Amino acid sequence: IDCSDAHVIGEWKAYREPVPKNEVLRFKATTDDLYESIVDLRPRMDVLRLFGVAGDASAELRWYAARHGICLVERSRWPAPVLADVALPWGDALGPGAIDRGRLMWLSRPLQQAYPRLPDGSRRLPQRLPDAAVESLLAIHDHWSDELWDLVERRGGAFEDYVDALAS
């Protein structure tokens, strides 16, 4: 998808059970290859990866996606960029602060941040994020996703009503 302010590479899977990690491994490899050709078109635009599933991602898939900045869209969790959006109306509930928003955005960071370009034009592979850091990031994601689902349920009405309210 070529948006006005970003390039979005997405893939959707119809799995209702937890999606195997190997599906996102293939997606990452493909998007890494596409990245080089896309980033040269308009180098200042973010290149984002979006992987959607009809069900939920396995724990292994979530860890892998977090390490590589792949945004997951799942049935039971709100996507991290939605939770990090300052425009999301939390009503009387306090939404995530600036630090948690930054951590949520890190879960779906642009490829330019995941693979920064060095002065010689090559790309640097980032150091592997420690397990404790990934666990913390995913716990923050789970916490704020649960908080937003609680807000939607407390609000009354259908989920669609809340989504309509977001759009207006």
Side-chain angles (χ1 to χ4, degrees), residues 72-145:
L72 291 177
V73 178
E74 308 172 78
R75 178 177 40 96
S76 66
R77 284 181 199 86
W78 289 88
V82 171
L83 298 169
D85 190 345
V86 294
L88 184 68
W90 286 89
D92 295 338
L94 291 176
I99 292 171
D100 280 359
R101 285 182 200 277
R103 290 176 176 153
L104 288 163
M105 287 307 297
W106 193 88
L107 289 172
S108 58
R109 64 199 176 282
L111 278 164
Q112 287 92 328
Q113 289 178 19
Y115 304 118
R117 189 179 293 268
L118 298 174
D120 68 0
S122 64
R123 303 243 176 241
R124 178 176 57 86
L125 291 177
Q127 197 172 23
R128 185 176 185 261
L129 198 61
D131 289 350
V134 174
E135 189 173 317
S136 175
L137 288 166
L138 294 177
I140 289 168
H141 183 205
D142 287 341
H143 169 76
W144 288 112
S145 183

Side-chain angles (χ1 to χ4, degrees), residues 30-94:
T30 301
T31 57
D32 284 352
D33 288 343
L34 287 171
Y35 172 59
E36 287 302 321
S37 62
I38 292 173
V39 77
D40 290 337
L41 294 175
R42 291 190 264 174
R44 293 187 188 140
M45 290 181 63
D46 288 342
V47 179
L48 303 166
R49 296 187 278 202
L50 184 67
F51 191 83
V53 296
D56 288 316
S58 67
E60 295 82 9
L61 188 149
R62 290 187 72 216
W63 276 65
Y64 189 81
R67 283 194 168 111
H68 297 283
I70 298 170
C71 177
L72 291 177
V73 178
E74 308 172 78
R75 178 177 40 96
S76 66
R77 284 181 199 86
W78 289 88
V82 171
L83 298 169
D85 190 345
V86 294
L88 184 68
W90 286 89
D92 295 338
L94 291 176

Side-chain angles (χ1 to χ4, degrees), residues 24 63 92 98 110 146 148 155 165:
V24 83
W63 276 65
D92 295 338
D146 291 345
L148 187 54
R155 224 176 150 231

